[in-house]
Amino acid sequence: MKVAFFSAKQYDINAFDAANDGGIDFTHLHPSLDLRTCVLAEGHDAICVFVNDTLDAATLEEIQKLNIKYIALRSAGTNNVDLKKANELGLKVVSVPAYSPEAVAEFAVGLMLTVIRKYHKAYARVRDSNFTLTGLEGFNLQGRTVGLIGTGKIGMCVGRILAKGFQSKVIAYDIKRDEKAAAEAGVEYVDDLDTVLKNSEIISLHAPLLDSTKHIINADALRKMRDGAVLINTSRGGLIDTKALVEALKSGKLRAVALDVYEGEEAYFYQDSSDKVIHDDLLSRLMSFHNVFISGHQAFLTHEALAGIAETTIKNLLQLHAGEECPNEVKA
């Protein structure tokens, strides 16, 4: 089975080489997948893609013309794929629904601590031999109310870490409740999103990006949040209306924001732009705020998560190639 592996990074290659017993012949391609680069998949049975590869209707049509049969996502999210079009074209799509949720959850809590206790500012000061503490005041997580939007495996893991480890009060909203897991984690469900927005001192996003969740944090939601709240996003950039977020930051509404994802990230994330001009004015504006911390979509990046992604992706592909039913197939 020949698979064109787009957006290949060395850590991907290492993880997949370790998990592959020779059943799949991967062609590692550094470019991301889009309408211009899909021709690189010619001669392969399948493509393997990541979160910022573009699989819109036009790209999928070209992929189908190249006799590609399968699309393997190295992610849980499928928002970058036109699933309806893929189904119409007879392209089977598989994903990795779970891969070390602890990796992302621990990173999310790390972001909370970073912006609340200002580790990044302290590090920069000490590097310049400045050991003053003025402006580095933070607050305890113990006893604080943290709101979760989304309680899948990652969200619930964040709740457990905060409730059991930091003794925070954790409330959550999700249209699908897992009452048993919530009780075990110390998470309390509330009846509506507004309750989370109005009562949380820290809000952490853990929802998939769907039509119903796009810009779930918009101008109205930001107005409902408590003054001085902290906002964390390790899920998908499109959950936040960036223009509204910038306005909220300019007004002083929020104490701090930490983002591992950004709705326009595909133009910059996973590449070195240090010698280029950032043309995205919203991203540049976010980077200018003293109380905003941005990382480059790295929450998943642990040895355990990479190994899980590789093992599941390879199993998905082999099941499809053998004509077997794959439990991780995604349909519109």
Side-chain angles (χ1 to χ4, degrees):
M1 186 182 192
K2 293 185 177 181
V3 179
F5 193 106
F6 285 88
S7 299
K9 300 293 186 287
Q10 192 58 53
Y11 49 78
D12 294 314
I13 296 170
N14 293 343
F16 274 76
D17 282 349
N20 187 15
D21 63 1
I24 297 178
D25 180 11
F26 287 108
T27 301
H28 296 117
L29 303 167
H30 295 296
S32 58
L33 176 68
D34 57 28
L35 188 58
R36 300 168 301 164
T37 61
C38 61
V39 66
L40 297 173
E42 187 172 8
H44 295 82
D45 304 298
I47 58 172
C48 186
V49 296
F50 199 45
V51 293
N52 288 329
D53 290 301
T54 302
L55 293 98
D56 55 15
T59 303
L60 291 172
E61 286 176 353
E62 292 302 312
I63 288 293
Q64 197 255 1
K65 291 177 184 177
L66 296 173
N67 295 316
I68 299 295
K69 302 180 184 67
Y70 315 121
I71 298 170
L73 296 166
R74 306 192 299 274
S75 62
T78 61
N79 56 280
N80 57 328
V81 185
D82 186 333
L83 291 173
K84 183 178 179 181
K85 188 65 175 181
N87 292 166
E88 290 175 359
L89 294 171
L91 296 167
K92 289 185 177 291
V93 181
V94 290
S95 69
V96 184
Y99 51 89
S100 183
E102 293 79 11
V104 181
E106 290 171 11
F107 193 87
V109 175
L111 288 183
M112 291 180 198
L113 291 169
T114 296
V115 295
I116 292 169
R117 300 304 305 271
K118 304 177 184 176
Y119 297 153
H120 55 312
K121 294 180 179 296
Y123 174 79
R125 283 191 192 182
V126 172
R127 293 283 291 180
D128 286 335
S129 301
N130 179 354
F131 297 92
T132 62
L133 300 182
T134 302
L136 299 183
E137 298 94 338
F139 60 82
N140 292 0
L141 285 176
Q142 183 183 33
R144 298 283 178 166
T145 300
V146 182
L148 306 177
I149 299 177
T151 55
K153 287 183 169 61
I154 294 171
M156 199 64 77
C157 186
V158 169
R160 183 171 62 252
I161 292 170
L162 292 168
K164 302 293 187 181
F166 289 89
Q167 298 175 333
S168 303
K169 178 182 178 181
V170 183
I171 60 176
Y173 173 73
D174 199 321
I175 59 171
K176 294 182 179 179
R177 296 189 177 196
D178 187 338
E179 298 285 0
K180 180 180 178 182
E184 292 173 351
V187 174
E188 175 189 346
Y189 278 115
V190 296
D191 292 331
D192 52 60
L193 179 61
D194 282 2
T195 302
V196 170
L197 297 173
K198 293 176 181 178
N199 292 283
S200 302
E201 294 160 280
I202 305 163
I203 293 177
S204 191
L205 306 182
H206 302 286
L209 181 57
L210 308 168
D211 290 342
S212 58
T213 60
K214 182 176 175 61
H215 290 178
I216 194 170
I217 301 299
N218 51 30
D220 183 55
L222 287 160
R223 279 193 296 270
K224 292 174 180 176
M225 290 170 62
R226 295 176 59 156
D227 291 343
V230 174
L231 178 63
I232 310 292
N233 189 8
T234 54
S235 189
R236 287 292 183 266
L239 297 176
I240 298 176
D241 180 341
T242 309
K243 289 183 179 179
L245 178 62
V246 167
E247 291 304 314
L249 285 161
K250 287 167 64 177
S251 72
K253 174 72 175 181
L254 301 174
R255 178 190 295 265
V257 174
L259 307 174
D260 187 51
V261 289
Y262 170 69
E263 62 179 331
E265 68 178 58
E266 60 276 1
Y268 298 101
F269 283 24
Y270 302 121
Q271 54 188 302
D272 184 358
S273 297
S274 58
D275 60 348
K276 301 175 185 177
V277 174
I278 300 293
H279 293 282
D280 186 328
D281 291 341
L282 287 174
L283 178 58
S284 294
R285 190 68 178 96
L286 282 176
M287 292 168 63
S288 75
F289 288 108
H290 72 91
N291 55 344
V292 174
F293 181 94
I294 301 175
S295 52
H297 205 148
Q298 73 174 81
F300 75 97
L301 196 64
T302 67
H303 296 298
E304 294 83 355
L306 289 169
I309 290 169
E311 291 166 5
T312 301
T313 301
I314 288 172
K315 184 177 181 180
N316 288 345
L317 286 165
L318 291 175
Q319 286 177 327
L320 292 176
H321 192 56
E324 300 173 2
E325 183 175 342
C326 178
N328 295 327
E329 184 176 353
V330 184
K331 297 182 179 180

